[in-house]
Amino acid sequence: MTRMLRTQGVTAPAGFRATGIAAGIKASGALDLALVFNEGPDHTAAGVFTRNKVKAAPVLWSQQVLTTGRLRAVVLNSGGANACTGPLGFQDTHATAEATAAALSDWGTETGAIEVAVCSTGLIGDRLPMDKVLAGVREVVHEMAGGLTGGEEAARAIMTTDSVPKQVALHQDNWTVGAMAKGAGMLAPSLATMLCVITTDAVASPDALRAALNAATATTFDRLDVDGSCSTNDTVLLLSSGASEITPSQQELTEAVTRVCEDLCAQLQADAEGVTKRVAVTVTGAQTEDDAVLAARVVARDSLVKTALFGSDPNWGRVLAAVGMAPVALDADRITVSFNGSPVCIDGVGAPGAREVDLSGEDIEVSVDIGVGDASATIRTTDLSHGYVEENSAYSS
Amino acid sequence: MTRMLRTQGVTAPAGFRATGIAAGIKASGALDLALVFNEGPDHTAAGVFTRNKVKAAPVLWSQQVLTTGRLRAVVLNSGGANACTGPLGFQDTHATAEATAAALSDWGTETGAIEVAVCSTGLIGDRLPMDKVLAGVREVVHEMAGGLTGGEEAARAIMTTDSVPKQVALHQDNWTVGAMAKGAGMLAPSLATMLCVITTDAVASPDALRAALNAATATTFDRLDVDGSCSTNDTVLLLSSGASEITPSQQELTEAVTRVCEDLCAQLQADAEGVTKRVAVTVTGAQTEDDAVLAARVVARDSLVKTALFGSDPNWGRVLAAVGMAPVALDADRITVSFNGSPVCIDGVGAPGAREVDLSGEDIEVSVDIGVGDASATIRTTDLSHGYVEENSAYSS
């Protein structure tokens, strides 16, 4: 029997400590520095990162340290992305990892900087206030605590425009997966722009973790697309302590990690910037799953579709116009569209009553059959609202 | 010496008549049916159409009749796109062309339906009120008049969310190009979603017209991108009467048509849905012009860039994050960005004073050098404002 709880996060599995503190990186005085620490006995790890060609310093650093398949700790800050900060920004990330390793060594766990991943989120382009970051790193190591509280504080410390912390734990019979994530805008398309740390007490090799994480992110974070904008800082890490002494099969591990990622995706979608509608765009009848993903993404990103949904307007013609631009095989005379299960367009022509379909609820399902095959895929997105424009026209200033 | 006048349009060249009437297609009673008629002596013509795989009935019809390289008339309606209306919608378009040809024949100019192009614009998915369209066609032929007034009425009759009619005339020494266009949203990316009719009294073969039109649209309408949404009805037609008896060189013809299209693009951009800023995104340093177009388009479409510009916020990090996802060769460590000529990011790192650049004016130039070549291109776009969301969340209802 399994149990899924959103009251727990990265400290739910045995062998993990975490906490979050206010280090003064954010002017507001809110929590802004988090640590996730793996007590072992194992320290295997895997990661996936943004596909953006412009990568933040912490992404470049963490990609490098992850080549070892091993991590003792992850230090994360909000209040600044440390992206587009050049060689000096990379030195800042390196110094953060060094300081974390030194503090953990002082505390009694011999740690090298190469065992510390770094994640940053916030405004692109500014250097971090390193005096505050380095002092904060020493403090957060001392504050680090086991138990449930620490995990939630860590989840709070990585929030930017998020309105609520996001965490979840999936308890299997004898082993557990826990996770936290942040992300509310710049959500797309290769990883929903965000930081995410997943922990487990299962015994798993780096290869097993990598396989589980790649499979899980491909069908979850990779299919959440709020605004089509992909960040410079996307990072998803999976750490294993092995403390349960249970070795799940690859399939069991992949399924558990996927369920955790799915749940976090739902939380990210529900808290996306300016969201008033949670939208799932499903394309069926595609020649390949890749085609279905591409076509669903084109519809999910279309500003005219998204503003119509904000207005609860069943303007299905915009769905047709959008999908018609997808770079995939389709039969324009066999496209069928339904909103919340009600057909609005059949074989490329409007269905009776299409303009009266009720879209006033918070959840909208858009289904599009493109009539040339059997493959399907779903992209999750949100509407395009006044709230999105408001939040994003005033974020940096 | 040449003269460009926005007080004239399709009837500026010799040999063209036009007018617009209220046929009752729009519930508001506004002008909604236009006719452009070529009195000759020549009747050569060329057209370019939407690349959307979902094409409206009038696009399918007009593409077919244009294969002859010959047109006597164009009949255009607003108040309904006649898209996604199936075989019956195509019959409606055919009947409209037949009725126009019959009315023109009655009036004294023997005309076949195959000499009549049809354009429609408005909501996708509804059949047109054909009783009103067919009665309107007879009326518009009778009302058709020469002179300047007729052209402006035609330009008014094709407006949808446009707030002003768009027309222009370019007078060369002995020949003239005139044009009208509509379009305010669903503007991208292969033709800025719109209807446009261009007329000239130059003598030109269908091949010469086709070459001029393809060259002109490739660098003008194809590089205007308001919301990344490409419509089902895009149509640009070029008709020649030969009435000036002047045969310009191919280069002269192409240049004149390009200048007219450029001016119409500026008018479309200035009247785009919800526009508060006119934005030009120029990418330089690309390996090829195609790469420059692609990269500039990715930046011009990015919702986070567009909302920042709405807020007059020089948030250059979003430009970096956007261009980093463009599917082109670039050097992330050599990207240089400037806003209105002020460098905000040099070699991938923020420049001093970048956050203080003044973007409060109505025109914003975003320049991005991607550091790998010598090719460049500019995409014109607008900001993403509350007005855009407002207008598009309530358009069909």
Side-chain angles (χ1 to χ4, degrees):
Chain A
M1 218 200 80
T2 66
R3 257 187 332 146
M4 202 143 195
L5 297 173
R6 286 186 178 173
T7 50
Q8 304 176 352
V10 288
T11 48
F16 289 94
R17 291 171 182 253
T19 196
I21 64 164
I25 307 166
K26 284 180 178 166
S28 66
L31 298 183
D32 52 17
L33 191 70
L35 182 71
V36 179
F37 175 65
N38 181 355
E39 295 189 297
D42 298 343
H43 298 95
T44 51
V48 292
F49 299 92
T50 183
R51 291 186 197 119
N52 203 311
K53 293 185 198 76
V54 177
K55 291 180 186 9
V59 167
L60 296 172
W61 170 264
S62 297
Q63 278 185 314
Q64 213 168 308
V65 304
L66 252 299
T67 57
T68 64
R70 180 183 166 79
L71 278 183
R72 255 184 217 279
V74 186
V75 60
L76 312 93
N77 75 274
S78 53
N82 195 11
C84 305
T85 46
L88 296 175
F90 189 81
Q91 284 177 26
D92 291 345
T93 293
H94 188 182
T96 305
E98 289 281 7
T100 307
L104 286 168
S105 299
D106 287 350
W107 182 67
T109 304
E110 202 56 47
T111 306
I114 200 171
E115 297 173 301
V116 180
V118 181
C119 301
S120 300
T121 180
L123 186 63
I124 296 171
D126 289 337
R127 297 277 301 279
L128 291 171
M130 285 308 292
D131 51 336
K132 288 172 179 156
V133 171
L134 296 179
V137 159
R138 287 186 289 275
E139 188 189 337
V140 79
V141 168
H142 287 118
E143 292 282 328
M144 180 176 66
L148 305 184
T149 340
E152 179 164 340
E153 278 165 7
R156 285 188 185 279
I158 59 174
M159 290 164 60
T160 53
T161 55
D162 307 71
S163 68
V164 291
K166 284 117 187 156
Q167 58 173 3
V168 70
L170 175 65
H171 294 274
Q172 310 283 354
D173 281 339
N174 298 302
W175 59 287
T176 298
V177 179
M180 66 178 185
K182 66 77 54 177
M186 219 184 239
L187 278 174
S190 69
L191 302 186
T193 299
M194 39 148 224
L195 305 180
C196 174
V197 179
I198 308 166
T199 55
T200 181
D201 49 18
V203 177
S205 69
D207 283 348
L209 294 180
R210 203 171 297 124
L213 192 60
N214 287 345
T217 55
T219 56
T220 56
F221 295 124
D222 274 357
R223 295 188 186 177
L224 176 66
D225 192 320
V226 165
D227 50 15
S229 304
C230 177
S231 103
T232 51
N233 289 58
D234 288 341
T235 302
V236 183
L237 301 174
L238 172 56
L239 285 68
S240 162
S241 70
S244 71
E245 298 181 0
I246 304 288
T247 308
S249 70
Q250 182 69 55
Q251 191 187 337
E252 288 169 330
L253 182 66
T254 299
E255 277 178 13
V257 173
T258 303
R259 282 187 63 190
V260 162
C261 291
E262 268 169 6
D263 190 81
L264 289 174
C265 273
Q267 294 185 51
L268 292 167
Q269 182 191 29
D271 193 31
E273 289 171 349
V275 60
T276 80
K277 308 277 191 183
R278 295 179 295 261
V279 181
V281 178
T282 300
V283 166
T284 57
Q287 282 183 350
T288 65
E289 186 176 345
D290 283 352
D291 274 8
V293 169
L294 265 173
R297 200 183 290 288
V298 166
V299 174
R301 284 185 173 187
D302 188 83
S303 294
L304 291 170
V305 170
K306 290 160 81 87
T307 46
L309 297 179
F310 169 57
S312 302
D313 176 1
N315 194 335
W316 58 268
R318 293 183 180 177
V319 175
L320 272 276
V323 80
M325 287 306 291
V328 304
L330 59 78
D331 183 344
D333 295 327
R334 294 206 37 218
I335 299 174
T336 292
V337 178
S338 68
F339 288 149
N340 290 341
S342 298
V344 288
C345 170
I346 296 169
D347 290 340
V349 180
R355 305 266 179 234
E356 279 73 52
V357 173
D358 180 14
L359 300 183
S360 61
E362 287 184 3
D363 286 284
I364 297 178
E365 285 182 18
V366 178
S367 298
V368 187
D369 192 291
I370 58 176
V372 291
D374 296 318
S376 66
T378 299
I379 295 284
R380 291 179 190 283
T381 186
T382 58
D383 55 340
L384 174 54
S385 69
H386 285 302
Y388 181 87
V389 173
E390 189 62 30
E391 194 153 347
N392 285 301
S393 57
Y395 177 51
S396 86
S397 38
Chain B
M1 219 200 79
T2 66
R3 256 185 335 146
M4 202 142 193
L5 298 173
R6 287 187 178 172
T7 49
Q8 304 177 353
V10 287
T11 48
F16 288 94
R17 290 171 183 252
T19 196
I21 62 164
I25 306 166
K26 284 180 178 166
S28 67
L31 298 183
D32 52 18
L33 191 71
L35 182 72
V36 178
F37 175 65
N38 181 354
E39 295 189 295
D42 298 344
H43 298 97
T44 50
V48 292
F49 299 91
T50 184
R51 290 187 198 117
N52 202 312
K53 294 186 198 75
V54 177
K55 292 182 188 0
V59 167
L60 296 172
W61 170 264
S62 298
Q63 277 185 316
Q64 213 169 306
V65 304
L66 252 298
T67 58
T68 64
R70 179 182 167 81
L71 278 184
R72 253 183 220 279
V74 185
V75 60
L76 312 92
N77 75 275
S78 54
N82 195 10
C84 305
T85 45
L88 295 176
F90 189 82
Q91 283 177 26
D92 291 343
T93 293
H94 187 182
T96 304
E98 289 281 6
T100 308
L104 286 169
S105 299
D106 286 349
W107 182 66
T109 303
E110 202 55 49
T111 306
I114 199 173
E115 296 173 301
V116 180
V118 180
C119 301
S120 299
T121 180
L123 186 63
I124 296 171
D126 289 337
R127 297 276 301 280
L128 291 171
M130 285 307 292
D131 51 336
K132 288 171 179 157
V133 171
L134 297 179
V137 159
R138 286 186 289 275
E139 187 188 337
V140 81
V141 168
H142 287 119
E143 292 283 327
M144 180 176 67
L148 305 183
T149 341
E152 180 166 340
E153 279 166 6
R156 286 188 184 279
I158 58 174
M159 291 164 59
T160 53
T161 55
D162 305 72
S163 69
V164 291
K166 284 118 187 154
Q167 58 172 3
V168 70
L170 176 65
H171 293 274
Q172 310 283 354
D173 281 340
N174 298 302
W175 58 287
T176 298
V177 179
M180 66 177 184
K182 66 80 53 178
M186 220 183 240
L187 277 174
S190 68
L191 301 187
T193 300
M194 39 148 226
L195 305 181
C196 174
V197 179
I198 308 166
T199 55
T200 181
D201 50 18
V203 177
S205 68
D207 282 348
L209 294 179
R210 203 171 297 125
L213 192 60
N214 287 346
T217 55
T219 57
T220 57
F221 295 125
D222 274 357
R223 295 188 185 178
L224 176 65
D225 193 321
V226 164
D227 51 15
S229 304
C230 177
S231 101
T232 51
N233 290 58
D234 287 341
T235 302
V236 183
L237 301 174
L238 172 56
L239 285 68
S240 162
S241 70
S244 72
E245 297 181 3
I246 304 287
T247 308
S249 70
Q250 181 71 54
Q251 190 187 338
E252 288 170 329
L253 182 65
T254 299
E255 278 178 13
V257 173
T258 302
R259 283 187 63 190
V260 162
C261 291
E262 268 169 7
D263 190 81
L264 288 175
C265 273
Q267 294 186 51
L268 291 167
Q269 181 190 29
D271 192 33
E273 288 172 350
V275 59
T276 80
K277 307 277 191 184
R278 296 179 293 263
V279 181
V281 178
T282 299
V283 166
T284 57
Q287 283 183 349
T288 66
E289 186 176 345
D290 282 352
D291 274 8
V293 169
L294 265 174
R297 201 183 290 288
V298 167
V299 174
R301 283 185 173 188
D302 188 83
S303 293
L304 290 169
V305 170
K306 290 161 80 86
T307 46
L309 297 179
F310 169 57
S312 302
D313 177 1
N315 194 336
W316 59 268
R318 294 182 179 177
V319 175
L320 273 274
V323 80
M325 288 305 292
V328 304
L330 58 79
D331 183 344
D333 295 326
R334 294 205 39 217
I335 298 174
T336 292
V337 178
S338 68
F339 288 151
N340 290 341
S342 299
V344 288
C345 170
I346 297 168
D347 290 339
V349 181
R355 306 266 179 236
E356 279 72 54
V357 172
D358 180 13
L359 300 183
S360 61
E362 288 183 4
D363 287 285
I364 298 178
E365 285 181 17
V366 178
S367 297
V368 186
D369 191 293
I370 57 176
V372 290
D374 294 320
S376 65
T378 298
I379 295 284
R380 291 179 189 283
T381 187
T382 57
D383 54 341
L384 174 54
S385 69
H386 286 302
Y388 181 86
V389 172
E390 189 61 31
E391 194 153 348
N392 285 300
S393 56
Y395 178 49
S396 87
S397 36

